[in-house]
Amino acid sequence: MAAASTKSDRAALLKAFDEARTGVRGLVESGVSTVPDLFVHTNPYASVPLAPPGVSIPVVDLSLPAHVAAAAAAAAARDWGFFHLVNHEVLVPSGHPARALAAVRAFNELPAPERAAHYGRALSGGVSYSSNVDLFLSPAASWRDTVQVLFGPTPPNAERIPSVCRSEVIEWEAHAAAVARAVMALLSQGLGLGDAALEETSCLEGKLMVCHYYPVCPEPERTMGLVPHTDPGVLTVLEQDGVGGLQVKHTNGDGESFWVDVRPAPGALVINVGDLLQIMSNDKYKSVEHRVVMNSGEEARVSLAVFFNPGKRGESVLYGPLPELVSTENPPKYRRFAMPEFLGAFFKRDLASKALLEHFKL
């Protein structure tokens, strides 16, 4: 009976938090000096140690000859699932990522009534602003608020994007798509395929931008910005500000696992492999766990992630290991499926669940 009562109490608290329509930023504005119970994670940082000093994710340099960059990208995708991308100025004009980050910060730091006018969980017109997409599914909420814009396969209603960050968000999506096209070409080469192999499966057409805002936290050791998870799609292009907090779980050649800080690097974007690319590559590339830890600094963290997924989503369009990568010696490790099944499996779980790849394994 007590357990049922506790569950009911939690549901009521979640409902009240969501209906306040001001997110975690609203809690900070109210002056909270402790992390509310809804956001408390049990021993959030106790499971896996931090990496030794000096360990960092690989770097891929777009200014190198294409075959050299492709080899570096493939090695990073195979061994780490993450890498920094540098010297991409031909695709991303200097200064634009910083402007987009500043604009998203400006929206999240508007007065509460102005933000509340945009709050809602439905992707109305392809746009939403809320706190924790899995708020009612996860065992503990995380310390972040999020603006989501679904750019494809159907374009959003641009008027639904908050005006304070509208032009910057739209421009950043175009630049991120150019980066994704270049990276997909490198990763296709790394699989021994033509440059357009991934693009031809419509992997650039499904686009979701997720703009995360992680407010300053009074007790950073008791909660998380983002729980350990893998990204479901094909590829993620991430721009982060200078605050830091992103960590990647890496397992070395001796089987030892540790969390590696992805420290902000001036001029570098973060690229990571998603679950669907691990499936399509038949495990040649890997989708790895990552998380965002809270810090005790006095500045909120902002990041902009664009998730790329197939745009062709009819029940008759099937995805799975690319046929060119499958043979008698290398049989498929995953079954084929349509995107509605894949997306349905993702949205039925909380972010920390690791069941998505297992759901499709043979």
Side-chain angles (χ1 to χ4, degrees):
M1 199 67 178
S5 175
T6 301
K7 188 174 181 180
S8 175
D9 291 345
R10 178 176 173 77
L13 289 170
L14 286 170
K15 186 172 183 289
F17 167 73
D18 202 44
E19 290 181 350
R21 301 176 65 84
T22 55
V24 176
R25 169 73 178 176
L27 297 177
V28 174
E29 290 169 328
S30 74
V32 294
S33 57
T34 60
V35 170
D37 289 346
L38 289 176
F39 294 86
V40 173
H41 293 245
T42 304
N43 296 322
Y45 307 118
S47 59
V48 176
L50 294 177
V55 177
S56 60
I57 64 172
V59 175
V60 174
D61 187 341
L62 270 189
S63 69
L64 295 174
H67 71 282
V68 178
R78 181 182 64 245
D79 299 334
W80 282 79
F82 266 80
F83 56 87
H84 271 132
L85 187 73
V86 299
N87 290 323
H88 46 65
E89 290 80 3
V90 68
L91 304 173
V92 182
S94 177
H96 186 82
R99 291 198 299 274
L101 289 165
V104 169
R105 180 184 296 276
F107 166 72
N108 282 278
E109 296 177 358
L110 287 173
E114 293 183 46
R115 298 198 315 277
H118 295 275
Y119 195 94
R121 296 198 165 271
L123 274 167
S124 179
V127 182
S128 72
Y129 161 59
S130 65
S131 183
N132 287 253
V133 294
D134 61 344
L135 182 68
F136 296 98
L137 293 174
S138 61
S142 295
W143 202 257
R144 72 178 184 281
D145 300 324
T146 304
V147 174
Q148 295 189 96
V149 184
L150 186 62
F151 277 99
T154 302
N157 176 356
E159 295 302 310
R160 301 283 302 181
I161 303 171
S163 60
V164 69
C165 60
R166 183 180 301 146
S167 62
E168 292 85 354
V169 162
I170 291 171
E171 289 174 13
W172 176 241
E173 182 276 326
H175 297 316
V179 169
R181 175 175 284 107
V183 172
M184 285 188 195
L186 296 179
L187 294 176
S188 293
Q189 288 182 47
L191 293 171
L193 307 175
D195 289 10
L198 289 170
E199 186 174 351
E200 286 172 352
T201 61
S202 78
C203 288
L204 276 170
E205 295 174 16
K207 296 173 283 188
L208 175 67
M209 183 183 295
V210 175
C211 310
H212 286 316
Y213 179 85
Y214 303 86
V216 173
C217 183
E219 296 179 299
E221 74 283 354
R222 300 187 70 206
T223 189
M224 302 199 76
L226 199 53
V227 295
H229 67 288
T230 59
D231 291 347
V234 174
L235 194 75
T236 304
V237 176
L238 173 76
E239 171 66 17
Q240 60 174 339
D241 65 10
V243 173
L246 176 63
Q247 294 181 338
V248 171
K249 190 176 182 180
H250 179 63
T251 302
N252 65 19
D254 297 324
E256 300 170 316
S257 294
F258 37 75
W259 289 105
V260 178
D261 283 316
V262 182
R263 293 183 178 86
L269 297 173
V270 179
I271 307 294
N272 69 277
V273 171
D275 293 344
L276 192 48
L277 183 51
Q278 178 168 335
I279 291 171
M280 295 174 76
S281 71
N282 209 29
D283 281 353
K284 284 186 168 57
Y285 297 151
K286 64 182 180 181
S287 174
V288 301
E289 282 188 284
H290 48 287
R291 67 184 186 182
V292 174
V293 302
M294 298 310 301
N295 63 71
S296 55
E298 297 181 0
E299 185 179 7
R301 177 180 187 266
V302 179
S303 68
L304 308 180
V306 184
F307 302 99
F308 291 88
N309 304 279
K312 294 179 180 176
R313 299 185 177 179
E315 291 285 357
S316 63
V317 182
L318 299 181
Y319 296 90
L322 293 170
E324 300 92 333
L325 304 180
V326 174
S327 65
T328 305
E329 296 76 25
N330 186 36
K333 296 177 173 64
Y334 301 90
R335 64 178 176 84
R336 289 162 65 78
F337 50 83
M339 283 304 292
E341 181 187 2
F342 183 84
L343 295 172
F346 171 71
F347 285 114
K348 284 178 183 174
R349 62 176 199 149
D350 67 89
L351 279 178
S353 170
K354 302 175 182 64
L356 192 58
L357 284 172
E358 294 299 322
H359 184 80
F360 298 101
K361 261 191 174 171
L362 291 171

